[in-house]
Amino acid sequence: MVDKADFVSGAQIVSTFFENIEKQKFESNSKMLVAWKKTVQKISGNDKQFFNKRIGEQLFDHSRIVDFKNGILLVETDHPAWSQMLQFHKKFILTGMNKICADAKIETLAFRVRGSKAALADSGKKIAETEMKKYSEKLDAEEKILLEKGFFEKEKNSAENKNSKNELPDNLKKIFSRMKSTAMKSSDEK
């Protein structure tokens, strides 16, 4: 006979799964916050004439990590001047953060001023689609300019185009064709 104690409910399985994910995310975020504090506070430039305490401590007091996605660490400051100062020390910060949080692989920093709604995108897919559309439009515009200047592709069985001396050379036709098909394939894949 099977004992009821041997069964685990689906709700318990799902709950345990999400607890583990949240715990890992929390631990990762905690590690990143500690790394941010340690790294930024190490920035030197102890100029007592302008600051009451070390510049690194000032930078830490006026900034905080907001988000991390796709290798980009979003940092919020309470004034654009603090963003500029952090940007000035970007290489130092990235090196320090990646030493402490090697598994995160932070590639760059992005900044926003408190109160703005700037956020990190989930992926670069929208950007890629927009760029491909711009590229395709640019190709079409360049093709139109060539047509206006008297260059055009020779159409099959067209008596009008047979005797033209301004026909687009075959090598340029192939280049335009490849560029256009590549642009279209790339936009379809995204």
Side-chain angles (χ1 to χ4, degrees):
M1 187 164 179
V2 179
D3 187 15
K4 286 186 179 181
D6 292 339
F7 290 100
V8 178
S9 73
Q12 288 175 321
I13 293 170
V14 171
S15 178
T16 304
F17 174 75
F18 282 108
E19 283 175 7
N20 288 338
I21 288 176
E22 289 301 317
K23 183 179 177 186
Q24 289 172 345
K25 190 174 180 181
F26 176 76
E27 288 172 357
S28 175
N29 289 344
S30 297
K31 187 175 181 181
M32 197 168 286
L33 293 173
V34 169
W36 177 256
K37 182 176 183 177
K38 285 181 179 179
T39 303
V40 172
Q41 285 186 338
K42 284 182 184 177
I43 296 172
S44 60
N46 193 6
D47 193 345
K48 295 284 184 177
Q49 187 177 13
F50 297 106
F51 303 105
N52 296 339
K53 49 187 168 177
R54 290 185 50 213
I55 186 65
E57 293 169 5
Q58 289 273 344
L59 287 168
F60 176 75
D61 290 344
H62 293 277
S63 65
R64 69 183 183 105
I65 294 175
V66 178
D67 199 2
F68 176 68
K69 286 182 188 165
N70 303 323
I72 303 169
L73 186 65
L74 180 60
V75 178
E76 183 178 79
T77 63
D78 53 17
H79 192 276
W82 295 113
S83 297
Q84 280 186 305
M85 292 179 79
L86 287 166
Q87 182 70 30
F88 180 74
H89 297 286
K90 182 178 177 178
K91 187 174 181 179
F92 177 85
I93 293 168
L94 288 173
T95 303
M97 293 290 293
N98 282 316
K99 280 183 183 177
I100 298 170
C101 299
D103 55 323
K105 296 181 179 114
I106 303 166
E107 295 173 20
T108 191
L109 302 175
F111 300 97
R112 77 175 187 195
V113 177
R114 186 175 298 140
S116 76
K117 301 203 189 254
L120 297 176
D122 286 331
S123 72
K125 186 176 181 181
K126 281 254 192 237
I127 295 169
E129 287 174 358
T130 303
E131 289 301 313
M132 289 307 297
K133 185 178 178 184
K134 285 180 188 177
Y135 182 68
S136 180
E137 289 170 356
K138 184 178 177 181
L139 283 176
D140 290 341
E142 289 175 359
E143 189 173 345
K144 183 179 176 183
I145 291 169
L146 286 172
L147 288 171
E148 289 171 356
K149 292 191 177 201
F151 291 94
F152 54 89
E153 288 190 46
K154 188 175 183 181
E155 294 178 21
K156 292 180 184 176
N157 301 325
S158 173
E160 187 178 308
N161 294 336
K162 279 186 179 178
N163 298 324
S164 175
K165 293 180 181 179
N166 291 334
E167 184 178 323
L168 196 59
D170 287 337
N171 60 344
L172 287 178
K173 285 183 200 177
K174 289 177 185 176
I175 291 171
F176 278 120
S177 178
R178 275 190 307 227
M179 290 170 66
K180 197 168 189 174
S181 66
T182 301
M184 296 317 233
K185 284 180 188 175
S186 295
S187 67
D188 290 342
E189 291 173 1
K190 305 277 180 191

